[in-house]
Amino acid sequence: MCGIIGYIGDRAAAPIIMDGLSSLEYRGYDSAGIVVLDGDGMPQLYKSAGKLSRLKSILASGLPEGNSGVGHTRWATHGGPTDFNAHPHTDCTGDVMVVHNGIFENYMELKRELTANGHVFSSQTDAECIPHLIESYIQEGCSLEDAARAAAQRISGANAVVALSRKEPDKIVSFKLGNAGGIVIGYGEQEMLLASDISALLPHARNVAYLAVGEMATVTRERAEYTRIDGAPVAKTTSYLPYDALTASKGEYKHFMLKEIHEQPDAVLDALRGRVQFDPPGIALPDFVFSDDEVRRFNKAIIIGMGTSMHAGMVGRMWIESLAGIACEVDNSSEFRYRDAVLDDRTLVISISQSGETADTLGAMDEAKRRGARQLTLCNYEGTQSTRVADGALPIRAGLEISVAGTKTFTCSLATLYTLAVYLGVKRGTIERERLADIARELAHLPEMLGQLVSEQSQYERLARKYARRANFLFLGRGKNYPLAMEGALKLKEISYIHAEGYPAGEMKHGPISLIDEEMPVVALVPQDNLYDKMLSNVNEVKARGGAVIAVATEGDEHIRDSADHAIYIPKASANITPILAAIPMQLLAYHIAVRRGCDVDQPRNLAKSVTVE
């Protein structure tokens, strides 16, 4: 996720930046750094691996002096958590300093170009390419803004960047590409701030503006100017932050659920950080506790969870079978306890609980432990009960989720399960190097693809106007997308109170087809995979009986428009990644229908965030 904080004004910058980093440390804590420009514009740069406390100890004798600077907390993607890989990064001359959040997809190509032109790199990160790229345009006579704009136009992926230069110490430049997490501009009295999250701004600014995708800000102590990356000016209005921290933390969103839907590109990026390696391609799970010999000895896996977690597990089962070659089952935690499941020390039980405190899942874990199975738990918080019962834990890294309906915890569970399945496959020899490289490349694009999906809201508002008063919905999917039909139905009924069912599409003729008429909307997951033709047949069967079809289809599929009433497109991706992408339309459809019906989206009736009793 990474945390970014910048300040320019009349006050000492370092104390404000360090306080801001403290409030942002939840966004990354394997390294931290700060740079402050002194009165002569000279940079004072300090960074270190480890938690923010280590940087604070380095600065215990005195903070750097100056009135402008930036700070950063990091979760590693490219390159490990070392002093050299910590941000801020500089160019060859030390004139340009940059902090960065995101995945710079084409950095290797640009790094080779820059190296050939004489640039010298000192880290393993993708981020270090950015100051060198900006430097190359400054050497051609560009200002900091123009150089940053030119650099932005060459960078692929979801990225948020903040840069400053000792040659132009009276300004800070920032740009946002894709949905890599926010950049919020805070307006103070003769001072301006930039941050990843408003929590770092609240002590100093109440009026804020949000940098949108493809926008750039140039900030001085008096004002901020906004343009598109191509230089076109942007008129920006500010929002006032109320004093109440909980309300303020919604930022520009009406509900926490919508905010958390939009946080998914960043949250999934966090789930991949340090786990997906790009150069050379690989999967690393530092939290994994089982030896390679144990991994090869596993002859069965069982995934347990409840509700949304179980639906993630249903997809995970198929990944583990196809990628790792391990026979896998999935079960509802509350039912698993009453089975006579065959378990031994060659069985891996994988529990999923975002809270780590779900009573039924803990009961199932106790039963698995009694029977001698090895256990791995996926949860959102360290030190919870599930992490104490299991042999090991994989954090899903979704961050704080306030809305009762799970959104980013679902996609982060999926991303973590996918990396786990690939990791097991590599250790068991079922995934070859070439295939692993393809998997890593696609995962590098995943946050950007998710960002595309959360940026378009109007189509869901139109669908909500048309279907919000229907009494029933049917969701259909096949293969890895059948669990997404289950999840889509769950989301709709828990926040809009509409009766909805998710079915495997092949089951439709065995009963549900009798329910289809003009009043029954059907959401069909129809990506262009090996089951596409079968799903098209299901769509046509629904249409023949007067049902309205909302198709979730692959971008570029024009044929589906002839068959379905409405098409929601997701980016073209492999069949393994499609379920993660398909989660976004399921969530947004449910959200906008619930809003249209006037429901309490964040706190639906009769539900709690964590079910800690049976």
Side-chain angles (χ1 to χ4, degrees):
M1 194 180 291
C2 296
I4 291 172
I5 174 75
Y7 174 85
I8 184 167
D10 294 329
R11 290 191 287 165
I16 295 170
I17 292 171
M18 293 302 292
D19 286 346
L21 290 179
S22 295
S23 67
L24 295 171
E25 192 173 14
Y26 75 95
R27 298 178 66 94
Y29 37 80
D30 58 24
S31 62
I34 181 175
V35 63
V36 172
L37 299 180
D38 66 16
D40 297 321
M42 295 302 294
Q44 302 168 80
L45 176 63
Y46 301 87
K47 55 184 185 176
S48 69
K51 294 189 175 183
L52 183 61
S53 57
R54 183 161 181 238
L55 180 63
K56 288 179 177 178
S57 67
I58 292 172
L59 298 173
S61 59
L63 294 174
E65 295 182 358
N67 304 117
S68 66
V70 295
H72 188 271
T73 61
R74 178 178 186 247
W75 267 7
T77 48
H78 298 75
T82 66
D83 291 352
F84 287 117
N85 290 334
H87 299 214
H89 287 291
T90 66
D91 65 343
C92 296
T93 64
D95 287 344
V96 178
M97 293 135 280
V98 163
V99 292
H100 166 241
N101 178 29
I103 291 182
F104 186 166
E105 293 176 2
N106 59 332
Y107 88 100
M108 285 300 297
E109 169 192 336
L110 291 176
K111 185 175 182 178
R112 284 192 291 267
E113 175 188 315
L114 290 163
T115 301
N117 290 333
H119 291 262
V120 178
F121 288 77
S122 59
S123 79
Q124 303 163 309
T125 68
D126 55 344
E128 193 187 356
C129 280
I130 301 171
H132 287 283
L133 192 57
I134 292 173
E135 175 195 11
S136 69
Y137 290 109
I138 289 176
Q139 289 173 341
E140 295 176 4
C142 290
S143 65
L144 177 61
E145 297 105 301
D146 290 341
R149 185 175 292 114
Q153 293 177 19
R154 300 196 64 192
I155 295 171
S156 297
N159 298 275
V161 174
V162 176
L164 66 166
S165 168
R166 71 181 182 91
K167 291 183 177 180
E168 300 181 60
D170 58 341
K171 65 182 66 168
I172 300 176
V173 171
S174 178
F175 59 82
K176 179 177 177 178
L177 306 172
N179 284 275
I183 291 290
V184 189
I185 313 296
Y187 291 71
E189 294 292 334
Q190 290 297 302
E191 60 186 11
M192 299 289 291
L193 298 97
L194 310 90
S196 303
D197 194 298
I198 58 174
S199 61
L201 302 180
L202 274 177
H204 312 288
R206 290 295 168 80
N207 290 297
V208 301
Y210 300 88
L211 206 60
V213 175
E215 290 183 352
M216 178 173 153
T218 300
V219 174
T220 67
R221 55 177 37 87
E222 294 91 10
R223 64 184 182 276
E225 294 181 355
Y226 302 94
T227 64
R228 298 285 303 170
I229 296 301
D230 62 9
V234 173
K236 193 70 83 168
T237 58
T238 61
S239 303
Y240 180 75
L241 295 178
Y243 183 77
D244 173 60
L246 189 64
T247 302
S249 65
K250 289 182 187 175
E252 60 189 319
Y253 301 103
K254 185 177 180 180
H255 298 98
F256 282 109
M257 183 179 178
L258 185 60
K259 178 177 185 282
E260 288 153 10
I261 288 171
H262 278 79
E263 288 174 342
Q264 287 176 109
D266 220 16
V268 168
L269 176 59
D270 291 340
L272 301 178
R273 286 187 192 276
R275 294 172 175 169
V276 181
Q277 300 172 340
F278 303 101
D279 184 28
I283 298 290
L285 295 180
D287 304 304
F288 197 75
V289 297
F290 303 110
S291 68
D292 291 357
D293 286 341
E294 285 181 289
V295 170
R296 287 188 284 268
R297 285 187 71 247
F298 289 137
N299 61 11
K300 181 168 67 173
I302 301 176
I303 303 176
I304 54 176
M306 301 288 289
T308 288
S309 292
M310 188 184 73
H311 297 156
M314 292 169 69
V315 183
R317 170 182 61 184
M318 289 179 264
W319 283 330
I320 287 172
E321 288 177 339
S322 63
L323 295 170
I326 302 174
C328 190
E329 305 171 11
V330 64
D331 206 350
N332 182 294
S333 299
S334 65
E335 292 298 315
F336 176 80
R337 300 168 65 182
Y338 310 124
R339 290 174 52 195
D340 290 323
V342 179
L343 310 175
D344 58 25
D345 63 358
R346 298 185 66 186
T347 304
L348 177 62
V349 172
I350 304 167
S351 57
I352 309 172
S353 168
Q354 73 85 22
S355 67
E357 305 290 344
T358 304
D360 287 300
T361 299
L362 291 173
M365 293 176 70
D366 287 338
E367 182 64 18
K369 186 174 184 178
R370 187 180 70 81
R371 296 183 184 216
R374 306 308 304 277
Q375 294 199 58
L376 183 68
T377 190
L378 276 62
C379 66
N380 201 28
Y381 304 101
E382 296 180 9
T384 58
Q385 183 64 20
S386 69
T387 66
R388 294 193 290 271
V389 175
D391 299 296
L394 286 179
I396 64 171
R397 300 175 178 171
L400 179 64
E401 189 176 70
I402 292 173
S403 181
V404 167
T407 52
K408 59 180 179 174
T409 50
F410 179 64
T411 48
C412 287
S413 294
L414 288 174
T416 305
L417 282 167
Y418 186 49
T419 55
L420 172 62
V422 175
Y423 179 86
L424 294 172
V426 171
K427 294 299 183 181
R428 291 168 64 87
T430 57
I431 295 178
E432 297 178 351
R433 181 176 294 276
E434 184 176 342
R435 187 181 185 190
L436 182 60
D438 290 339
I439 289 170
R441 276 193 294 270
E442 185 170 48
L443 285 173
H445 291 279
L446 179 57
E448 172 64 14
M449 289 190 283
L450 292 170
Q452 295 173 27
L453 288 168
V454 301
S455 64
E456 171 54 49
Q457 299 288 310
S458 60
Q459 61 182 325
Y460 300 100
E461 294 169 355
R462 291 193 297 270
L463 289 169
R465 285 195 295 270
K466 187 173 181 64
Y467 295 110
R469 296 303 163 188
R470 298 297 175 90
N472 302 283
F473 267 74
L474 182 64
F475 289 73
L476 299 175
R478 289 179 182 262
K480 296 183 183 72
N481 295 300
Y482 157 50
L484 271 296
M486 298 280 287
E487 177 64 11
L490 175 63
K491 281 292 160 286
L492 186 64
K493 57 191 164 190
E494 68 183 343
I495 65 170
S496 76
Y497 317 141
I498 294 175
H499 173 253
E501 298 292 341
Y503 270 91
E507 182 76 6
M508 188 175 71
K509 292 181 181 178
H510 298 265
I513 198 169
S514 67
L515 298 173
I516 294 173
D517 60 18
E518 292 82 357
E519 294 300 312
M520 173 69 85
V522 176
V523 180
L525 290 113
V526 197
Q528 288 180 323
D529 57 16
N530 62 321
L531 298 173
Y532 177 74
D533 291 337
K534 292 183 182 294
M535 281 302 304
L536 273 183
S537 295
N538 291 124
V539 169
N540 291 329
E541 288 165 354
V542 171
K543 291 301 298 173
R545 287 154 181 84
V549 175
I550 302 168
V552 178
T554 302
E555 192 173 39
D557 181 3
E558 294 300 324
H559 180 67
I560 196 65
R561 289 190 181 276
D562 299 328
S563 303
D565 297 89
H566 314 276
I568 299 171
Y569 287 112
I570 61 175
K572 186 174 292 186
S574 72
N576 280 327
I577 292 296
T578 296
I580 307 178
L581 301 175
I584 307 297
M586 300 296 98
Q587 296 165 2
L588 286 171
L589 182 63
Y591 171 80
H592 284 285
I593 287 176
V595 170
R596 190 75 181 177
R597 289 168 65 88
C599 299
D600 189 342
V601 173
D602 287 329
Q603 296 179 316
R605 67 190 182 205
N606 304 330
L607 295 176
K609 185 65 180 172
S610 301
V611 183
T612 57
V613 295
E614 290 188 41

